[in-house]
Amino acid sequence: QVQLVESGGGLVQAGGSLRLSCAASARSLSDYVLAWFRQGPGKERVFVAGIRWNGSSALYADSVKDRFTISGDNSKNTVYLQMNSLKPEDTAVYYCAAGRRHSVGRSDGNYNYWGQGTQVTVSS
């Protein structure tokens, strides 16, 4: 069982930055992939970024590549999403997810555990 709690959302102007955090409670995350998804107004939930907890390469959606960075802190069991150069189209509820997998998957069906979500609003 993994519990995930996101924080760090808010309102920011276009071009600004935010850092989302996802604290994971679990005995061990070594066999897990941690990922971020987002769901914009009237849209489906989509993959943003993911990373395997053992430190393998991260995977990003094309829409956020070179602007967002996913990272993890083993000592805190926390995964972060650093978001730079934010655009109004990044406005969404951002969800942290965890799945016991060997590699990062882009489908939300690959993940068993979800946080409650945190709102990110980017104004133009």
Side-chain angles (χ1 to χ4, degrees):
Q1 187 78 10
V2 179
Q3 291 184 324
L4 304 170
V5 179
E6 303 102 331
S7 61
L11 173 65
V12 64
Q13 287 189 329
S17 298
L18 279 176
R19 189 178 79 158
L20 305 183
S21 300
C22 173
S25 61
R27 273 193 171 184
S28 172
L29 293 173
S30 60
D31 294 332
Y32 283 85
V33 166
L34 278 293
W36 290 95
F37 285 74
R38 68 185 182 187
Q39 187 168 18
K43 298 181 180 179
E44 292 185 351
R45 187 165 59 187
V46 297
F47 174 82
V48 175
I51 189 167
R52 194 157 190 270
W53 201 246
N54 67 1
S56 58
S57 298
L59 187 66
Y60 295 93
D62 288 344
S63 59
V64 306
K65 203 174 293 184
D66 299 326
R67 297 190 299 124
F68 291 10
T69 303
I70 187 171
S71 61
D73 184 332
N74 278 320
S75 66
K76 297 181 179 179
N77 262 19
T78 298
V79 64
Y80 302 100
L81 186 68
Q82 178 66 43
M83 306 186 295
N84 299 328
S85 302
L86 282 161
K87 305 175 181 180
E89 50 264 44
D90 294 318
T91 294
V93 177
Y94 283 71
Y95 296 91
C96 180
R100 200 160 188 170
R101 305 177 44 81
H102 292 294
S103 60
V104 177
R106 294 178 183 269
S107 169
D108 58 6
N110 295 146
Y111 300 89
N112 307 101
Y113 304 102
W114 293 84
Q116 81 286 355
T118 185
Q119 176 70 46
V120 171
T121 303
V122 184
S123 63
S124 57

